[in-house]
Amino acid sequence: MIRSTMVWVCLLLGTVMVAAAESPELAEAARAGDLARVEALLEAGVDAGATNGGETPALALAAVRGHEAVVRLLLDRGAELGACAGRERLTALMCAAANGHAGVVRLLLERGAAVDAGNRHGYTALMLAAGYGRLETAGILLTAGASVAAATETGWTALMSAAGSGHADVVERLITAGADVNAWTRDSGTTPLLCAVGNGHTEVVRLLLARGADAALADSDGVTAAALARKLDHAEITRLLAPETAVVAGRRPLPQPDPVDPGRSFAH
């Protein structure tokens, strides 16, 4: 089941679809939150949309560090709101949301950032915030209209991100907002409950069961939550889960590749 390591999701560098001006100086000033230096460089004619030379826009570098004043200045000077960083296609909103920078998230949304835009794998800002346990930024995104039903091509949801990472407070917030506790992925039949069980998150398992998660649902190999808990020697979770009969009808994988294991992007 899902085993993951915390990463700075917005520093995954690669190529972008559209070439942009380069200014390592602006990028470094933005990353450092040096507002005066950023302003001086812009006054000298540097493009506000310039990248660091590694194809990451200065706007994303400021957003990932939470430098709200720098983000505001770059936007005021014409930085592209939806510019994407690297081959992962991460927007400034995704960067800020994943790292819990509430002020930057609010600013970007006020300026018109697409709240449900997905990266290369279809992960939205809400999925990233949920996976990293960013309750405040997740709440801001939900208030701005982020969809709890949004899913990747394989069916991965924000609730799965939060459940698999053990963030009970975010799980509760998403369920309250209408997230489907029994959603399942089309590639493997994973559910939020199976995500939580697989990583040994007892409190999340207890919460999901209390909010209607069906422990009888099995993944595409026919493995139920109870069976998985026993296999992984999660004794307390096993006690929470009575043996159930697998329910696999309609849950077989579709003939489509999954480019990434979503759970590997998140900590637990």
Side-chain angles (χ1 to χ4, degrees), residues 68-151:
E68 185 174 348
V70 174
V71 170
R72 186 184 303 277
L73 177 60
L74 290 170
L75 291 173
D76 287 344
R77 297 299 182 88
E80 183 183 348
L81 189 62
C84 295
R87 62 175 174 269
E88 297 300 316
R89 308 293 293 159
L90 296 157
T91 65
L93 180 63
M94 294 172 195
C95 292
N99 286 286
H101 300 309
V104 175
V105 169
R106 288 192 184 94
L107 172 60
L108 293 167
L109 290 170
E110 288 168 1
R111 294 298 183 93
V115 70
D116 281 331
N119 75 348
R120 184 167 71 99
H121 302 298
Y123 306 147
T124 65
L126 181 60
M127 292 178 197
L128 295 172
Y132 286 103
R134 310 300 188 183
L135 179 62
E136 184 178 11
T137 53
I140 293 168
L141 291 165
L142 289 168
T143 299
S147 173
V148 291

Side-chain angles (χ1 to χ4, degrees), residues 160-218:
M160 293 173 189
S161 295
S165 302
H167 302 302
D169 53 353
V170 180
V171 168
E172 178 66 44
R173 181 69 176 84
L174 292 170
I175 294 173
T176 299
D180 183 359
V181 295
N182 291 313
W184 53 279
T185 61
R186 293 186 291 275
D187 60 330
S188 62
T190 289
T191 66
L193 182 61
L194 285 167
C195 290
V197 171
N199 283 318
H201 299 307
T202 305
E203 291 308 311
V204 174
V205 170
R206 184 176 286 111
L207 173 58
L208 289 168
L209 291 172
R211 298 302 296 269
D214 187 350
L217 294 178

